Amino acid sequence: MTAFPAIEVVDIPGKGKGVIALEFITQGTRIIAEEPTIKLSGQTREDLAHSVQIALSSPSNLEFLLSFPCKKGEDPVSGRFNHFLPCASEDDNACGLCATICRINHTCCSPLSGPNAMYTWREDLQCETLHALRDIAPMEEITVSYIACQIHTDDPPKFLRKNFDFSCSCAGCARSPDQRAHSLARIRQYNLFMESFSISAQSRRNPTQLLEQLQHNLLAICEEGYAIELSRGAHCGFRLCAMYGDAKNAVLWETLSRHRYRGISLFGAVDTGSVYV
């Protein structure tokens, strides 16, 4: 049985509940793999409502749900749904509420700061998993970002107030509105580029330029704190190089994809001028 590092749910001043490390956790460590205490599913609103009714018919489940804070002025049940995490599968729109992972507080990704962990649903394990993005010291609070790069389409303080009913005090949110607007513009540009990448690659027009644009956009998004995007973007670079038979750079891009957070230094090894045109 896998031994996970020791962590604990505690009261965090000014935040309510949160999670801290009780021992040193090295970068890349899986901190926990946790099954949802409550799991809701349904492809339609009616199916979801039925799933909620069944799940909350258990007094212990209802008590567990009510132990999470509710958004002000919201229904006592639906007002707590923002604490659920996606439990994605191919044939359902499922979400789950975990006893530990769903207690973890937020830190924005930004050029000045970022979370020290990230969570991911593992369909094969039927668990939400949490991994360390960097070394975490004993007694340090474990944080994640509630804002994925693809949904970072609004100013974070506004988004967090509207969707999670709290004011973020991280270094990124403490920047001036102009500085945050500059970051938002870069993130939007990155998302637009990635949305159009497959079509651009299939057009077979100037692949070398497209690869240079990919590298530029990946560097920009990493500077904005979203190093996780290295995996997604580098895989696009791999597919483009493979499409044109550039095996050498295809291997380098795939290596970068697998390295994720440690891979940014590999950019210098990728020759964007050698893709076959």
Side-chain angles (χ1 to χ4, degrees):
M1 185 174 181
T2 303
F4 296 115
I7 60 177
E8 185 178 8
V9 177
V10 298
D11 291 319
I12 304 292
K15 295 183 179 181
K17 298 292 184 182
V19 179
I20 61 170
L22 297 181
E23 60 183 88
F24 184 81
I25 302 174
T26 58
Q27 178 186 11
T29 298
R30 179 178 292 180
I31 301 171
I32 189 173
E34 186 174 31
E35 294 183 10
T37 301
I38 301 176
K39 188 174 181 181
L40 307 176
S41 62
Q43 293 183 319
T44 67
R45 183 174 295 182
E46 291 75 17
D47 290 341
L48 180 59
H50 183 62
S51 179
V52 171
Q53 184 180 17
I54 293 175
L56 298 187
S57 63
S58 163
S60 61
N61 280 356
L62 180 59
E63 182 180 5
F64 175 64
L65 175 67
L66 296 179
S67 71
F68 286 81
C70 181
K71 293 174 65 177
K72 294 178 182 177
E74 296 284 337
D75 178 84
V77 172
S78 62
R80 290 176 163 87
F81 284 172
N82 61 322
H83 298 288
F84 282 73
L85 296 174
C87 300
S89 62
E90 294 182 358
D91 57 355
D92 206 348
N93 297 316
C95 59
L97 188 65
C98 300
T100 300
I101 292 180
C102 290
R103 299 285 187 187
I104 297 174
N105 289 312
H106 164 85
T107 296
C108 290
C109 293
S110 79
L112 301 180
S113 66
N116 54 24
M118 67 168 290
Y119 40 44
T120 307
W121 174 255
R122 285 286 303 272
E123 183 69 15
D124 56 331
L125 301 177
Q126 288 293 294
C127 285
E128 195 75 32
T129 59
L130 182 75
H131 287 81
L133 298 182
R134 58 170 175 77
D135 292 347
I136 303 174
M139 306 310 293
E140 181 179 352
E141 183 181 8
I142 299 172
T143 62
V144 297
S145 176
Y146 296 171
I147 308 176
C149 184
Q150 289 85 349
I151 66 169
H152 193 149
T153 58
D154 205 348
D155 191 27
K158 180 180 178 181
F159 175 90
L160 294 166
R161 173 55 63 189
K162 176 182 177 182
N163 292 280
F164 296 95
D165 200 31
F166 71 85
S167 297
C168 184
S169 59
C170 76
C173 286
R175 292 177 297 164
S176 70
D178 286 345
Q179 290 173 319
R180 297 199 306 269
H182 175 71
S183 286
L184 184 59
R186 297 181 83 193
I187 294 167
R188 285 174 172 167
Q189 174 59 42
Y190 169 81
N191 284 329
L192 287 172
F193 173 80
M194 293 303 295
E195 288 170 8
S196 64
F197 184 86
S198 293
I199 295 175
S200 299
Q202 292 168 8
S203 70
R204 292 182 174 269
R205 289 181 299 188
N206 204 335
T208 300
Q209 183 182 48
L210 181 60
L211 201 64
E212 290 173 347
Q213 291 171 347
L214 174 63
Q215 181 166 318
H216 172 79
N217 277 276
L218 281 176
L219 286 169
I221 204 65
C222 287
E223 288 173 359
E224 294 301 329
Y226 286 104
I228 181 61
E229 288 298 310
L230 275 175
S231 181
R232 174 189 176 203
H235 187 65
C236 290
F238 160 76
R239 289 191 291 112
L240 182 63
C241 290
M243 182 185 299
Y244 287 91
D246 186 353
K248 176 185 174 182
N249 275 314
V251 170
L252 289 172
W253 280 106
E254 187 62 13
T255 301
L256 179 59
S257 173
R258 293 178 182 180
H259 274 70
R260 289 193 178 189
Y261 305 96
R262 292 172 295 180
I264 191 168
S265 62
L266 295 176
F267 266 134
V270 177
D271 179 7
T272 57
S274 68
V275 179
Y276 297 134
V277 180

